[in-house]
Amino acid sequence: MNIAEKVAYLRGLLKGLSFDEDSKEAKVFEAIIDTLDEIAMAVTDLEENQSELEELVSIIDEDLGELEDDYYDLDEEEDGDDDFGEEYYEVVCPTCGDTICLDEEMLDEGEMACPSCGEHLEFDLDDVDCDCGCEHDHDGCDCGCKE
């Protein structure tokens, strides 16, 4: 039995008590039942609105999930490009083990302090192979793949 049905039941019980309709008690009970009836209607409206909101949130959640799938799939295809098209590199600090993301400019500086532990880190790019997998080092690659 829902709230509206319970209020209707109480209204029936009140009528069954055979109060004189002009008595103070009957007027008080009738006012209480009327107030309960209004509360029951408000609760019913809230329940309906809540149900509609749950449906809308579910639809939005599904749409957001699809967008996340599309967006993250796009990011995986870009191989390390962030929102601005810059390439970044991940370096693991040998002291604390934290992963640090660096861009090309930071690598070109050749050194930095680990933001987590302060360890002095140096980067030597002379012996790094280029992205195409050729045999040349990064600076001496003639294959045209160097950006």
Side-chain angles (χ1 to χ4, degrees):
M1 191 179 325
N2 66 31
I3 294 175
E5 292 169 341
K6 289 180 182 181
V7 172
Y9 176 74
L10 289 173
R11 188 177 300 279
L13 286 177
L14 179 62
K15 289 186 183 200
L17 291 176
S18 301
F19 278 117
D20 179 19
E21 290 183 15
D22 294 330
S23 72
K24 294 178 185 178
E25 293 85 7
K27 290 179 183 181
V28 168
F29 282 127
E30 189 64 36
I32 291 171
I33 298 295
D34 288 343
T35 303
L36 289 174
D37 197 30
E38 289 178 28
I39 292 171
M41 287 188 292
V43 168
T44 301
D45 289 344
L46 287 172
E47 288 173 342
E48 290 173 1
N49 290 339
Q50 177 68 26
S51 178
E52 289 176 21
L53 285 173
E54 286 175 0
E55 289 177 29
L56 290 173
V57 167
S58 177
I59 292 169
I60 291 170
D61 184 49
E62 288 174 11
D63 291 345
L64 179 60
E66 290 175 12
L67 285 173
E68 287 173 342
D69 289 344
D70 292 344
Y71 175 77
Y72 289 121
D73 286 343
L74 179 64
D75 275 353
E76 289 172 7
E77 292 170 7
E78 290 177 358
D79 288 332
D81 289 352
D82 63 10
D83 293 340
F84 303 107
E86 291 182 26
E87 195 167 343
Y88 67 91
Y89 304 91
E90 291 183 354
V91 177
V92 177
C93 176
T95 303
C96 67
D98 280 355
T99 301
I100 307 163
C101 292
L102 308 171
D103 60 13
E104 191 78 34
E105 183 179 322
M106 296 168 80
L107 282 175
D108 288 341
E109 289 179 21
E111 62 184 10
M112 70 175 284
C114 174
S116 298
C117 69
E119 176 72 21
H120 181 74
L121 304 174
E122 293 183 8
F123 311 111
D124 183 12
L125 301 177
D126 291 337
D127 295 328
V128 176
D129 290 337
C130 66
D131 290 339
C132 73
C134 65
E135 300 294 324
H136 306 287
D137 65 19
H138 186 69
D139 293 327
C141 183
D142 294 329
C143 68
C145 66
K146 183 177 176 187
E147 296 179 11

